[in-house]
Each structure stands twice: as structure tokens, then as C-alpha cells.
């Protein structure tokens, strides 16, 4: 159905301006040569980009963020792929409940998860902060792995697997040679989505800071509370570039319909 | 597949979640119910008598309701517009809506600090136009929180609604029109009822998200607290673990009540039965 409705088109245009305008403004202000963020900027300079690399805390927290997101992702894949396979391969009693348990980190407020991790895993069980940070990030990545790989598996014809098994292939070999190649794009997409979720996370990381341990978003948050120079704008631009690349790859692998079908 | 294998595949993930999520959550809730070894609801009674906490809870609920309503009012027309676009154009517009969703919430809230601040874009423009003489204080108010949260969650409701609106069979609308219904009547009697379940799902996401958001209120709310920043303050700044645990419990209970009620409503209003 096609309707030409100029009012609706104009309204939508304004809403998109509201959505994307602020991100553009950040990008523009990151080139400010002065020490205070201004829009429009008073000139053009890349010195605040240089400053990112000069401030030790940004580099070290960036490293922590990358390590935690990557390592957490690996653990989430190791825990999540077998679970997603079991949840989609056969029907059994309690399947829906188990599925809900695996997706529950999406429903429980992140700030509550972060707090309980600090209170029990760090303080009561004496886990090191770095390990707890990793555990927390693994928890929030699991639902993405389960959901995206789950929907890939739901589209997979398990008769192909049966065929391989009946021809004498072992279960494990069949999984790696037949099932895995078929859900490859789902796995890569889920890894990227989970990575972004973890890399941008504030709620959990907020409670998991200690001597020498903090993530980039938390460092940015602390910086913004104390300084108002364009460094954060410059970092934001770099983060948006990474996001854009990730999104492009996810779109290639899953299509945008993944986002519209909840 | 043998049952044994099944449990073997599920066990590591379940064990992990049980140990590090479920047990800490249960212990947290449990810890609020005991004082000096005896069972009591004392801390909750104290909270709900405390006007400071009630004020914070009130702000949080107000901000969340306003954010949800604004997201629906703004999001629905735009989603409707998107759902009728030709596929290529729709793809581009959807991508532009999803991009902010995947961008860090720190970055997105920070952008509003530049726009709403005393020397920010909004104040500069209004002063240059001669509409105001002294800069408005928008930043560090609940209004700033609402703006930031609407910006944060609008993409979420957009993509949820586009998904729902796309699945509506537009032949139904055409049929209604050919039987004499006006465009508006057809929209009101067909498109809106069919999108109610999607609206409810979207509202849950936005409402619960706003209710528990930390970054946006922390950056844009200034001294004005919401439940999430209050929880953080109690845990980290004041080291009051009991209070923080009680706030965490209250947040979870409100979240589950909202999800439960709205799911019930979604089932009730689902015209497909």
C-alpha cells in the first residue's frame, strides 16, 4: 500500500533529525581546537584525537574493555552454543522454562545484576574484581548468543544431520562438519551483537572497578563528570565508527529483519 | 538424542547462571528480610515512609511514564511511515534507526549535555533569536532525563513497531476502504487494534528500560536522583548494603509486575486471539 502523506513524511524527517542530530553534533564538536566543547566549533583541529592516546587511563581501560568483551564472548559461546543446540534440537519438558532462564539476564535490571555481583561474587565469595567483571559480561552476553544462534538453528533442517549420522559420522564430527557451517553466519552475528552489548555496558562494569580495573565507558563517565573538553567527543567518534563497521557486517549476515522481529 | 547428552549440553550454562546470577539474586533479596536473625519487612516499611525515597521513586516513575508515552506518540507515526516504504528505502531508514541503538549510551547521553547545557546549542539559538535573555536550565532536570531517555529508547520502539506493522495484511485496509470506510476509519479500526500487542511489547521495553536506566539520569539528571542512581549511591558512596539490596529488590519487583501486567494485557488485546 502506498500513501503520499507529506505531513507524515515531514514528521518522520524531524524525528530522524532528533535521533541522528546529536550524534552528528558530537562528531562536529570533536574537531574543536579550543579547550571547551562548543557547537559550532571555532576551528578545526585533531588535537583531541591525539589526547585520547596521551591519556593513559583511556588506553588502559580500552584494553580492559576489549579483553573482557572478547574473553567473555568466548566463554559465552562455549556455554551458549551447546545450550542453544539442546534447546532447539529436541523438545522436552521444561524447555520453555530453561529458555527463559537463559534469556533472563535481559529482563533483570543491569544495575541490580552489577550490584549483586559485587555484593556476593566479589565481597562474599572473594573473586578478584577482574574475574567478576568477566563473569558479569559473560552473563549479559549469553542471551544474545542463545537468541541469535537459536533462531539460526530453528531454521536449520535437522534431517541433514540425521543423514550424516545414519551414514556413520560421529555426533561430534557431524556437529562440527554439518551443523556448525550452516549456522556460521548466526554465530558471527551473535558474537558481534554480544560484543557491542558488552563493550558499551555501564550497569555491570560500574560496580566492578578497583585498583587498575575499569572499562572504557566507566572511564568516559568519570571523565565527563570532571572535564568538559572535546576528548570524549573524539572517543565517541571512534566508537561510532567501530559501531558502524559492526552494524554493516551484522546486516550482511542477518539482514535487518533480525532487529524488527523480536 | 539421549537425555543424558541433553543435560550435558545445558549443564555448563545453567550452572554458570545459577552460581553467578540466580544465587546472588536470591541472597540479595533474602538479606533484606532478616535483621539480627529475625524475619522482618522493616526495611521496606522504613523506605515507604521515607519522603526522600518516595520522591525518588516518584521521579523515576514519572520520567518512565513520560518517556514511554512520548516514545509511542512519536514512534508510532514514524513506524507506520517506515512500514509503507519501498524495501530499499525502508532498509536504509531502519539502519539509521538501529545505528543509535548500538551506539554507547554514554556517547548518546553526552551528546545531550552539549545540546542542553547552559552554553549549549538550544540556549545559544534561543538567545540569538532573542526569545530568551538568560540561558534556560534544562540540563540536570527531569526534563533533560526524559529527552535523553526518549532519544535512547525511540529506536527500540521504532523497530518493534515496524516489525508489527509490516505483518499487518494491508489487503484488510484496502477491503475496508472498498466497503466504504474512510482512510482514517480504516486506520483506526484495523491498523491500530492489530498493532496493540506490538505497542504493549514496545512499551514494556521502554518502560522497564527507563525505570532501570543508570547512565542517562546520572549524566543528565544532575542532583535529581532516580532509583538506579540511588542504588549506586547507597552501595558505593554510602556503603549501606542493606538499603542498596532493598532498592535492588524493589526494582526487580516493579520490573516483574510491569512485565507480568503488560504481558497479560498483550494476551487480552491480541485480536488474533
Amino acid at each position: 500500500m502506498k500513501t503520499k502523506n507529506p505531513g507524515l513524511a515531514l514528521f518522520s524527517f524531524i524525528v530522524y533529525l532528533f535521533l541522528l542530530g546529536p550524534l552528528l553534533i558530537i562528531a562536529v564538536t570533536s574537531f574543536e581546537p579550543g579547550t571547551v566543547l562548543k557547537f559550532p566549533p571555532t576551528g578545526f583541529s585533531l588535537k583531541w584525537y591525539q589526547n585520547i592516546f596521551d591519556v593513559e587511563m583511556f588506553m588502559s581501560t580500552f584494553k580492559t574493555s576489549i579483553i573482557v568483551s572478547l574473553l567473555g564472548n568466548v566463554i559465552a559461546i562455549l556455554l551458549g552454543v551447546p545450550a542453544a543446540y539442546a534447546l532447539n534440537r529436541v523438545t522436552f519438558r521444561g524447555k520453555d522454562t530453561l529458555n527463559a532462564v537463559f534469556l533472563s539476564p535481559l529482563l533483570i535490571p543491569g544495575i541490580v545484576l552489577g550490584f549483586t555481583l559485587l555484593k556476593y561474587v566479589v565481597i562474599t565469595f572473594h573473586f578478584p574484581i577482574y574475574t567478576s567483571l568477566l563473569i558479569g559480561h559473560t552473563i549479559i552476553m549469553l542471551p544474545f548468543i542463545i537468541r541469535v544462534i537459536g533462531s539460526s538453528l530453528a531454521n536449520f533442517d535437522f534431517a541433514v544431520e540425521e543423514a550424516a549420522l545414519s551414514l556413520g559420522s560421529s555426533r561430534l564430527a557431524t556437529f562440527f562438519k554439518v551443523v556448525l557451517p550452516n549456522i556460521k553466519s548466526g554465530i558471527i552475528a551473535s558474537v558481534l551483537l554480544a560484543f557491542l552489548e558488552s563493550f558499551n555496558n555501564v550497569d555491570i562494569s560500574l560496580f566492578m572497578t578497583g585498583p587498575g580495573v575499569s572499562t572504557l565507558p566507566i572511564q568516559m563517565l568519570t571523565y565527563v563528570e570532571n572535564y568538559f573538553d572535546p576528548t570524549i567527543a573524539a572517543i565517541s567518534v571512534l566508537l561510532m565508527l567501530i559501531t558502524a563497521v559492526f552494524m554493516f557486517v551484522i546486516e550482511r549476515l542477518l539482514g535487518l529483519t533480525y532487529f524488527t522481529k523480536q | 538424542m539421549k537425555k543424558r547428552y541433553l543435560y550435558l549440553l545445558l549443564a555448563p550454562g545453567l550452572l554458570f547462571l545459577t552460581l553467578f546470577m540466580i544465587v546472588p539474586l536470591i541472597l540479595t533479596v533474602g538479606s533484606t528480610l532478616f535483621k539480627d536473625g529475625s524475619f522482618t519487612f522493616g526495611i521496606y516499611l522504613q523506605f515507604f515512609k521515607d519522603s526522600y525515597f518516595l520522591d525518588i521513586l516518584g521521579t523515576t516513575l514519572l520520567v518512565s511514564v513520560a518517556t514511554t508515552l512520548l516514545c509511542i506518540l512519536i514512534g508510532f507515526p514514524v513506524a507506520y511511515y517506515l512500514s509503507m516504504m519501498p524495501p530499499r528505502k525502508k532498509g536504509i531508514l531502519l539502519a539509521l534507526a538501529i545505528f543509535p541503538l548500538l551506539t554507547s549510551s554514554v556517547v548518546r547521553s553526552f551528546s545531550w549535555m552539549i545540546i542542553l547545557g547552559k552554553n549549549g546549542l538550544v540556549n545559544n539559538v534561543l538567545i540569538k533569536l532573542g526569545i530568551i535573555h538568560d540561558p534556560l536550565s534544562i540540563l540536570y532536570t527531569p526534563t533533560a532525563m526524559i529527552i535523553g531517555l526518549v532519544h535512547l529508547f525511540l529506536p527500540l520502539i521504532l523497530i518493534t513497531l515496524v516489525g508489527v506493522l509490516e505483518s499487518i495484511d494491508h489487503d484488510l485496509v484496502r477491503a475496508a476502504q472498498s466497503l466504504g470506510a474512510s482512510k482514517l476509519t480504516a486506520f483506526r479500526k484495523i491498523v491500530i487494534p492489530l498493532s496493540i500487542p506490538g505497542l504493549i511489547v514496545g512499551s514494556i521495553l521502554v518502560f522497564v528500560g527507563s525505570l532501570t536506566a543508570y547512565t542517562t539520569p546520572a549524566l543528565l539528571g544532575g542532583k535529581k536522583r532516580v532509583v538506579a542512581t540511588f542504588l549506586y549511591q547507597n552501595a558505593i558512596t554510602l556503603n549501606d548494603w542493606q538499603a542498596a539490596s532493598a532498592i535492588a529488590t524493589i526494582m526487580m519487583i516493579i520490573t516483574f509486575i510491569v512485565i507480568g501486567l503488560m504481558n497479560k494485557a498483550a494476551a487480552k488485546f491480541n485480536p488474533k486471539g
Side-chain angles (χ1 to χ4, degrees), chain A residues 68-85 102 105 134-147 149 187 190-191 193-195 198, chain B residues 9 12-14 16-17:
Chain A
V68 167
S69 299
L70 286 179
L71 214 56
N73 226 322
V74 172
I75 304 172
I77 283 281
L78 290 177
L79 298 173
V81 172
Y85 177 78
F102 275 107
L134 191 61
I135 290 172
H137 280 244
T138 306
I139 291 176
I140 55 159
M141 283 192 258
L142 257 177
F144 287 87
I145 307 287
I146 298 278
R147 203 163 63 174
I149 296 179
I187 292 183
S190 71
V191 164
L193 279 169
F195 183 91
S198 151
Chain B
L9 292 171
L14 278 179
F16 187 85
L17 285 179

Side-chain angles (χ1 to χ4, degrees), chain A residues 80-90 92 146 149-150 153 156 158 161-162 165 171 174-175 179 183, chain B residues 1 5-6 9-10:
Chain A
V81 172
Y85 177 78
L87 288 169
N88 284 279
R89 179 68 181 85
V90 274
F92 56 95
I146 298 278
I149 296 179
L153 282 167
F156 174 67
F158 284 105
E161 190 193 26
E162 294 294 340
L165 287 174
R171 251 192 195 281
T174 310
F175 180 78
V179 183
I183 57 167
Chain B
M1 193 161 63
Y5 287 125
L6 184 75
L9 292 171
L10 289 165

Side-chain angles (χ1 to χ4, degrees), chain B residues 204-223:
Chain B
I204 297 179
L205 294 174
V206 176
F207 189 80
V208 170
S210 317
L211 199 71
T212 59
Y214 174 85
T215 314
T216 308
L219 286 181
L220 305 180
K223 295 247 176 320

Side-chain angles (χ1 to χ4, degrees), chain A:
Chain A
M1 190 173 73
K2 272 199 139 180
T3 41
K4 289 259 179 282
N5 190 335
L8 195 57
L10 180 69
F11 181 75
S12 304
F13 177 75
I14 295 171
V15 171
Y16 266 87
L17 211 60
F18 168 76
L19 273 182
L20 300 169
L23 300 179
L24 274 177
I25 287 174
I26 287 203
V28 173
T29 51
S30 69
F31 300 113
E32 166 70 44
T35 50
V36 180
L37 263 174
K38 277 195 192 79
F39 184 84
T42 54
F44 180 87
S45 152
L46 289 175
K47 76 178 199 202
W48 298 107
Y49 285 88
Q50 178 63 42
N51 193 43
I52 302 173
F53 299 95
D54 292 342
V55 178
E56 215 274 315
M57 279 307 279
F58 284 131
M59 295 317 287
S60 66
T61 52
F62 178 72
K63 223 174 92 190
T64 308
S65 280
I66 294 276
I67 293 173
V68 167
S69 299
L70 286 179
L71 214 56
N73 226 322
V74 172
I75 304 172
I77 283 281
L78 290 177
L79 298 173
V81 172
Y85 177 78
L87 288 169
N88 284 279
R89 179 68 181 85
V90 274
T91 41
F92 56 95
R93 249 183 63 206
K95 182 177 140 173
D96 288 345
T97 315
L98 284 180
N99 204 37
V101 170
F102 275 107
L103 295 180
S104 65
L106 288 175
L107 292 180
I108 295 161
I111 197 104
V112 172
L113 277 181
F115 168 67
T116 54
L117 271 170
L118 172 66
K119 194 175 176 212
Y120 289 100
V121 178
V122 177
I123 292 176
T124 310
F125 300 156
H126 297 294
F127 274 64
I129 292 182
Y130 209 102
T131 316
S132 313
L133 181 68
L134 191 61
I135 290 172
H137 280 244
T138 306
I139 291 176
I140 55 159
M141 283 192 258
L142 257 177
F144 287 87
I145 307 287
I146 298 278
R147 203 163 63 174
V148 181
I149 296 179
S151 69
S152 286
L153 282 167
N155 291 325
F156 174 67
D157 184 0
F158 284 105
V160 182
E161 190 193 26
E162 294 294 340
L165 287 174
S166 71
L167 290 173
S169 167
S170 77
R171 251 192 195 281
L172 209 60
T174 310
F175 180 78
F176 282 103
K177 287 194 179 148
V178 178
V179 183
L180 210 57
N182 276 290
I183 57 167
K184 199 173 63 192
S185 60
I187 292 183
I188 299 171
S190 71
V191 164
L192 295 180
L193 279 169
F195 183 91
L196 282 179
E197 179 71 12
S198 151
F199 191 82
N200 289 333
N201 177 274
V202 168
D203 296 355
I204 306 250
S205 311
L206 194 61
F207 291 95
M208 304 286 139
T209 56
V213 186
S214 188
T215 63
L216 184 63
I218 303 304
Q219 174 61 23
M220 287 167 72
L221 215 55
T222 323
Y223 195 87
V224 168
E225 278 162 7
N226 299 308
Y227 308 94
F228 204 64
D229 69 37
T231 314
I232 296 294
I235 297 183
S236 300
V237 172
L238 296 185
L239 292 183
M240 284 193 271
L241 287 176
I242 299 176
T243 309
V245 172
F246 272 53
M247 211 184 113
F248 180 76
V249 180
I250 295 169
E251 196 270 334
R252 291 284 110 169
L253 293 171
L254 284 186
L256 291 170
T257 45
Y258 163 73
F259 294 97
T260 56
K261 290 196 183 101
Q262 302 272 326

